[in-house]
Amino acid sequence: MNSNHVYTSDWFVSHQPIWERIISNLKPEKILEIGSYEGRSICFAIDHAAQYKNIEIHCVDTWKGGIEHERIGIDMQNVEKRFDHNTNLSIIRAKNKVDLIKHKEMSDVALPRILSDLGKDYFDMIYIDGSHQAKDVLFDAVLSFKLLKVSGVLIFDDYLWKENTIGGENILRCPKIAIDSFCNIFSHEIQILQAPLYQIYIVKVKD
């Protein structure tokens, strides 16, 4: 097995400086990721957060892919194998202990169970990068907010992502309307951090 991380895309690289600042300030102990793919973002979190303390990671993904993966013929079995390889490598190299719990299922199944098992206000940092359908993003956001501690950070990916469809853009098949709705509804309980728009970074300031 390759002794280095194996990734087929570099989309996350541009976000790394912001993530590094957030993790160095927050020093998260418990992290939840919805949508893990090859593990690039969660490995970055492991590599940096585990410098400070023991950490607990929860990754939610079906590893079946979405419409955007089907259209270009991505082999999701190999994607999952790369996730396992990459995260195992980061865990082995980590300065402190890393417990990684893999939830191989839909987020609408996993998140209610995680909330029931672990309780609200459990996670220090949550990253939402699962389904890009607006109704799914909104569901993930609301459940994640309950799971997030006050002063914790919630990150949305793909704020400006658009699906290429024959009939043109469908706002209900994009994350933006869901993220905007969440931010409006919870406006008195959050602070939006200044950052480039492709990801949205939110601090939970109260329940």
Side-chain angles (χ1 to χ4, degrees), residues 30-34 58 60 111 114 123 125-127 147:
K30 296 171 182 175
I31 302 171
L32 169 64
E33 178 175 71
I34 304 166
H58 291 255
V60 178
L111 295 182
I114 292 171
F123 292 97
M125 179 175 171
I126 300 178
Y127 180 40
L147 285 163

Side-chain angles (χ1 to χ4, degrees), residues 32-34 58 60-61 103-123 126 135-148:
L32 169 64
E33 178 175 71
I34 304 166
H58 291 255
V60 178
D61 202 309
H103 304 267
K104 191 175 178 179
E105 55 196 344
M106 298 288 288
S107 62
D108 61 359
V109 175
L111 295 182
R113 191 188 65 253
I114 292 171
L115 180 60
S116 176
D117 291 347
L118 302 180
K120 63 192 296 287
D121 305 325
Y122 188 81
F123 292 97
I126 300 178
K135 61 182 180 180
D136 298 331
V137 176
L138 187 58
F139 178 92
D140 290 346
V142 172
L143 267 289
S144 292
F145 195 74
K146 287 187 176 293
L147 285 163
L148 188 67

